[in-house]
Amino acid sequence: MRIGILGLGRIGAFHAETLSGLDAVGSLVLTDPFADAAKAAAERFGAEVVDSPEALLAAGVDGIVVAAATDAHPALILAGVEAGVPVFCEKPVARTMAEGVEVLKAVAGRDVPIQIGYNRRFDTGFVNARAAVRSGELGKLHTVRSTTLDPAPPPAAYIAASGGIFRDCSVHDFDIIRWVTGREVTEVYAVGGNRGADFIKEAGDADTTGAILTLDDGTIAVVSNSRHNARGYDVRMEIHGFRDSIAVGLEDKLPLRSVEPGVTFPAGTPHDFFMDRFTEAYRAELTAFTEVVAGTRPSPCTIEDALEAGWIADACTLSLREHRPVTIEEVRVG
């Protein structure tokens, strides 16, 4: 099949590399406002370059991958749908939840699949955790712990446009908690602080946060996030039930050092970047998209899914600002 990629920054170029290695993909068509980025990627992967999204959609593509800046997501999603071309779009759907709701309304009833990029749904550990929960082998759940710790903050310009740590970082934890447990979040309480880069505080954001989520069956989920984890990129989940407890991310590249005597775990080189930690998950995610394009599977992460994670992020943002518990229904609009 022929896949178009809109946006050839860090993640777009990474997707181009992944797609070029998939058996189902015969050719790539690329576009980016910065022509040099598209040209460099095209030379590397033997792809075709066009000068606009319109030209890309007219180039006979079977599906498109939207990896452009967040502000461009709504228009590009809608352009793909209008052209009848299946869309993969990196999260978030839009800059704000209100804009995301408008996208959802605009595509309602259209028979064009849209997949939003939440790659943890394709990581083997999380897939196995979901299967364990859904099979009932853990028994009734009582506690979930989810962690995302970045090795260092992104640039100041990125932070200023990110929408805040809950929408940019924690939202991956929120999505995977919903996906693994099969439950919805009803209420949150969030805290945060600034112990590191001044530019994060100046942007009105926190660099380290914690959130308590109450799920609709009474399970408590604890989410921990930070922009500062000197040992590496740390993504983990613990799931505790009345019959058993399991963990995702306890492997030799875990960026954590034990101080127990005689303990050598973890023994590997720590993960230092999200592309390192989730290389295979990204490959599985884009393989799934080729199946969506081929019509052999439905979207594994819909706009509705992405918006549900976004409501949790908005509730946490409000909770941190006002120092109080916030229900999801309080922030939900549309």
Side-chain angles (χ1 to χ4, degrees), residues 267-327:
T269 301
H271 293 292
D272 63 359
F273 201 40
F274 70 91
M275 292 178 180
D276 163 39
R277 171 66 174 83
F278 289 116
T279 298
E280 292 305 314
Y282 278 115
R283 182 178 178 85
E285 180 180 51
L286 290 176
T287 297
F289 179 60
T290 65
E291 295 167 355
V292 170
V293 172
T296 59
R297 71 178 293 174
S299 171
C301 187
T302 64
I303 287 180
E304 290 91 339
D305 287 325
L307 293 183
E308 287 304 321
W311 297 128
I312 303 168
D314 272 13
C316 285
T317 301
L318 180 60
S319 175
L320 174 60
R321 185 168 67 240
E322 298 190 356
H323 305 286
R324 64 177 178 86
V326 174
T327 66

Side-chain angles (χ1 to χ4, degrees), residues 47-73:
E48 177 185 343
V49 176
V50 295
D51 61 6
S52 68
E54 294 78 13
L56 186 145
L57 286 166
V61 293
D62 300 298
I64 62 170
V65 171
V66 176
T70 296
D71 284 351
H73 288 188

Side-chain angles (χ1 to χ4, degrees), residues 83-109:
V85 176
V87 178
F88 174 95
C89 182
E90 278 298 337
K91 67 87 182 168
V93 174
R95 184 176 57 85
T96 68
M97 291 300 295
E99 291 169 335
V101 169
E102 290 305 309
V103 174
L104 179 62
K105 291 178 179 178
V107 302

Side-chain angles (χ1 to χ4, degrees), residues 90-299:
E90 278 298 337
K91 67 87 182 168
V93 174
R95 184 176 57 85
T96 68
M97 291 300 295
E99 291 169 335
V101 169
E102 290 305 309
V103 174
L104 179 62
K105 291 178 179 178
V107 302
R110 305 295 293 268
D111 191 27
V112 179
I114 301 166
Q115 178 181 341
I116 306 301
Y118 276 98
N119 63 341
R120 294 184 195 183
R121 294 176 174 227
F122 301 89
D123 175 79
T124 302
F126 287 112
V127 170
N128 291 343
R130 173 184 163 98
V133 171
R134 301 303 176 92
S135 72
E137 67 183 77
L138 306 185
K140 184 167 60 176
L141 303 186
H142 57 79
T143 305
V144 177
R145 295 188 180 94
S146 188
T147 299
T148 301
L149 307 177
D150 290 331
Y158 180 94
I159 290 289
S162 71
I165 191 171
F166 292 117
R167 294 205 75 208
D168 171 59
C169 175
S170 316
V171 71
H172 287 285
D173 297 277
F174 303 152
D175 177 73
I176 205 63
I177 287 170
R178 290 185 65 248
W179 188 75
V180 167
T181 65
R183 312 305 310 190
E184 299 296 344
V185 176
T186 60
E187 186 179 82
V188 309
Y189 182 77
V191 296
N194 293 88
R195 303 292 300 279
D198 288 341
F199 65 80
I200 298 178
K201 184 176 182 179
E202 290 165 1
D205 198 8
D207 63 28
T208 301
T209 57
I212 305 295
L213 316 181
T214 302
L215 308 190
D216 58 10
D217 65 348
T219 300
I220 301 301
V222 182
V223 177
S224 177
N225 305 111
S226 182
R227 302 290 194 182
H228 302 279
N229 192 55
R231 195 162 183 84
Y233 180 66
D234 190 351
V235 171
R236 283 175 286 144
M237 176 179 274
E238 296 177 9
I239 308 165
H240 301 272
F242 285 90
R243 293 182 187 168
D244 201 2
S245 296
I246 59 175
V248 178
L250 292 188
E251 41 93 13
D252 268 334
K253 298 188 77 173
L254 169 67
L256 198 65
R257 181 170 61 90
S258 175
V259 294
E260 294 295 331
V263 174
T264 59
F265 172 82
T269 301
H271 293 292
D272 63 359
F273 201 40
F274 70 91
M275 292 178 180
D276 163 39
R277 171 66 174 83
F278 289 116
T279 298
E280 292 305 314
Y282 278 115
R283 182 178 178 85
E285 180 180 51
L286 290 176
T287 297
F289 179 60
T290 65
E291 295 167 355
V292 170
V293 172
T296 59
R297 71 178 293 174
S299 171

